[in-house]
Amino acid sequence: MQAKAEQDSYSPGEKAKISVSVTEKATGKPVPASVCVGVVDEAVFDIVEQELDIAQQLYQDVFYPDILRSVSYKEYILDRAALETGGRGGGGGDEGEIREDFVDTALFQTVTADENGKAEVELSLPDNVTSWRITAAAVTPGLKAGNSVSNTIATL
């Protein structure tokens, strides 16, 4: 399977399209599947590396009945008044749009690949100037599974 952004790079806030293609490994024939697509700031994986093991995730209750839970989002309480007044340095600069949407997870969505093994996802990238990791995990109706990891960049 493959999940890849249509462009190698985007501007922060720009709409990005991710194309998903699911094929059988042995035959290369397209297959329908349920696909979970995640788009996460690559910096998150400097803190905790991602391990993608579809078989373990599908069958963990058979081999390990304990429930494991982890999160990648922590809410911060910000002083809105300080954010609205900005810095006090008196520096100049252009009067362009102020970027303010900085999240670590841009997308986490399940899509269905059709009988041609195709699916698409569109999202507006957050304002982060970063590399975004696109992770997709697919499961076919016959319980065959696969995954894909790729990147796209948000730059000014």
Side-chain angles (χ1 to χ4, degrees):
M1 86 157 292
Q2 183 179 34
K4 190 171 171 82
E6 287 192 340
Q7 297 176 200
D8 291 333
S9 68
Y10 295 89
S11 296
E14 189 176 357
K15 284 206 180 286
K17 186 183 286 188
I18 298 170
S19 297
V20 177
S21 176
V22 183
T23 57
E24 278 195 26
K25 187 175 182 177
T27 64
K29 292 182 180 178
V31 291
S34 181
V35 185
C36 182
V37 180
V39 179
V40 178
D41 187 334
E42 190 69 47
V44 169
F45 303 110
D46 285 339
I47 299 168
V48 177
E49 185 53 43
Q50 179 184 38
E51 293 182 32
L52 198 57
D53 183 349
I54 301 297
Q56 191 272 337
Q57 291 173 357
L58 285 174
Y59 302 111
Q60 69 182 355
D61 291 338
V62 175
F63 301 108
Y64 190 75
D66 293 339
I67 296 174
L68 302 175
R69 180 178 177 205
S70 61
V71 295
S72 67
Y73 174 75
K74 177 173 176 27
E75 186 171 347
Y76 296 94
I77 299 172
L78 301 173
D79 180 1
R80 292 304 276 170
L83 290 175
E84 290 170 5
T85 59
R88 307 228 189 279
D94 64 1
E95 299 298 320
E97 187 176 319
I98 297 174
R99 297 182 300 128
E100 58 185 39
D101 180 21
F102 299 97
V103 296
D104 62 359
T105 303
L107 176 80
F108 190 79
Q109 181 177 340
T110 301
V111 295
T112 302
D114 62 17
E115 63 277 351
N116 296 316
K118 304 290 184 192
E120 287 185 347
V121 178
E122 284 192 28
L123 70 143
S124 292
L125 289 173
D127 290 332
N128 309 38
V129 175
T130 189
S131 176
W132 292 99
R133 183 181 294 190
I134 303 164
T135 305
V139 179
T140 69
L143 296 182
K144 293 181 180 179
N147 63 288
S148 170
V149 177
S150 64
N151 286 79
T152 193
I153 297 170
T155 184
L156 294 174

